[in-house]
């Protein structure tokens, strides 16, 4: 995966699963920003070599790495939060279904962005209709992720950090590690968007 500088803060490891999920959000924002910038600056002309590399790296991130983030949340984190029966968890648990719907909605836009971006890479140019579709999908993803990430970080991750037991966090980290070390293929629409 392409290295992404997230600032001076060291990246979290599998012993810090909630912090790793937050780092993933910064990568999602970074690569979505790259796609938006490339679309804005190069869609009207030829795709320059640097823009081609940035476009391909961003498409690869969302196709290969980001689905593991969704699996981390939906298969590891959310079920453990749902298992908490406290009153404090109630409101956050109610939002988990919405977050999963966001993932499904995002998958459709990610699939469209991937198809249009790969065609752009293959042809070196993008026509006006494709450019409008690409920009619309990127705008919707940007809007969706803005609210989605804010809700997750301010409420879901905060609740998880306060209420999950150390062994639950350890198990989440271990499951995240296995997803990244096993060569299990994750594709858009199965395991989700980032």
């Amino acid at each position: 995966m392409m290295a992404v500088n997230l600032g001076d803060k060291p990246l979290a490891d599998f012993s810090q699963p909630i912090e790793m999920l937050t780092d993933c959000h910064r990568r999602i924002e970074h690569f979505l920003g790259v796609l938006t910038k490339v679309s804005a600056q190069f869609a009207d002309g030829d795709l320059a070599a640097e823009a081609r590399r940035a476009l391909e790296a961003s498409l690869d991130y969302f196709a290969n790495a980001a689905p593991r983030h969704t699996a981390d949340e939906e298969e590891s984190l959310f079920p453990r939060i749902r298992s908490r029966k406290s009153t404090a968890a109630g409101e956050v648990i109610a939002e988990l279904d919405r977050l999963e719907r966001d993932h499904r909605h995002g998958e459709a836009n990610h699939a469209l962005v991937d198809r249009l971006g790969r065609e752009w890479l293959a042809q070196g140019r993008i026509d006006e209709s494709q450019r409008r579709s690409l920009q619309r999908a990127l705008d919707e993803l940007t809007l969706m992720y803005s609210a989605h990430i804010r809700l997750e970080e301010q409420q879901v991750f905060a609740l998880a950090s306060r209420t999950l037991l150390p062994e639950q966090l350890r198990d989440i980290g271990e499951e995240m590690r296995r997803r990244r070390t096993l060569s299990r293929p994750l594709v858009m629409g199965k395991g989700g968007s980032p």
Side-chain angles (χ1 to χ4, degrees):
M1 180 173 66
M2 179 180 179
V4 177
N5 181 3
L6 299 174
D8 295 333
K9 184 177 84 61
L11 293 177
D13 60 28
F14 295 111
S15 69
Q16 305 165 298
I18 305 304
E19 292 80 1
M20 276 192 74
L21 292 170
T22 302
D23 288 345
C24 288
H25 284 169
R26 300 294 81 78
R27 282 188 283 276
I28 290 167
E29 292 166 343
H30 168 80
F31 284 113
L32 189 57
V34 170
L35 288 171
T36 300
K37 186 174 180 180
V38 169
S39 176
Q41 292 186 353
F42 296 95
D44 291 335
D46 292 331
L47 189 59
E50 184 178 351
R52 170 180 291 277
R53 287 192 295 273
L55 175 59
E56 188 166 22
S58 299
L59 294 174
D60 288 347
Y61 172 77
F62 282 113
N64 300 314
R68 289 182 178 86
H69 176 78
T70 298
D72 294 339
E73 293 179 347
E74 294 190 358
E75 297 174 21
S76 296
L77 178 62
F78 292 177
R80 287 175 173 90
I81 290 176
R82 286 185 169 111
S83 74
R84 308 301 295 173
K85 303 298 183 190
S86 71
T87 304
E91 288 184 19
V92 173
I93 290 172
E95 295 287 357
L96 298 181
D97 288 345
R98 183 167 77 83
L99 292 170
E100 289 174 338
R101 286 194 300 274
D102 283 351
H103 291 161
R104 302 291 85 76
H105 181 71
E107 287 170 1
N109 277 322
H110 278 295
L112 177 61
V113 168
D114 189 73
R115 180 177 63 78
L116 293 171
R118 305 284 176 196
E119 290 175 5
W120 192 4
L121 286 169
Q123 299 166 9
R125 298 184 67 86
I126 188 169
D127 68 29
E128 179 60 23
S129 173
Q130 291 173 316
R131 188 192 64 74
R132 284 198 305 269
S133 295
L134 178 62
Q135 191 57 55
R136 187 167 47 249
L138 290 171
D139 288 346
E140 288 184 14
L141 286 168
T142 300
L143 187 63
M144 186 273 286
Y145 277 122
S146 175
H148 184 95
I149 287 173
R150 185 170 54 251
L151 174 60
E152 287 188 341
E153 293 185 2
Q154 293 180 355
Q155 296 188 41
V156 178
F157 295 178
L159 177 71
S161 295
R162 287 195 316 270
T163 64
L164 293 184
L165 301 172
E167 55 267 32
Q168 290 179 303
L169 293 170
R170 183 196 60 225
D171 291 346
I172 291 170
E174 178 59 22
E175 290 166 9
M176 292 169 68
R177 185 191 63 76
R178 283 201 301 268
R179 285 188 189 99
R180 286 153 181 83
T181 54
L182 298 176
S183 57
R184 184 178 106 178
L186 285 173
V187 295
M188 304 303 277
K190 184 74 173 174
S193 59

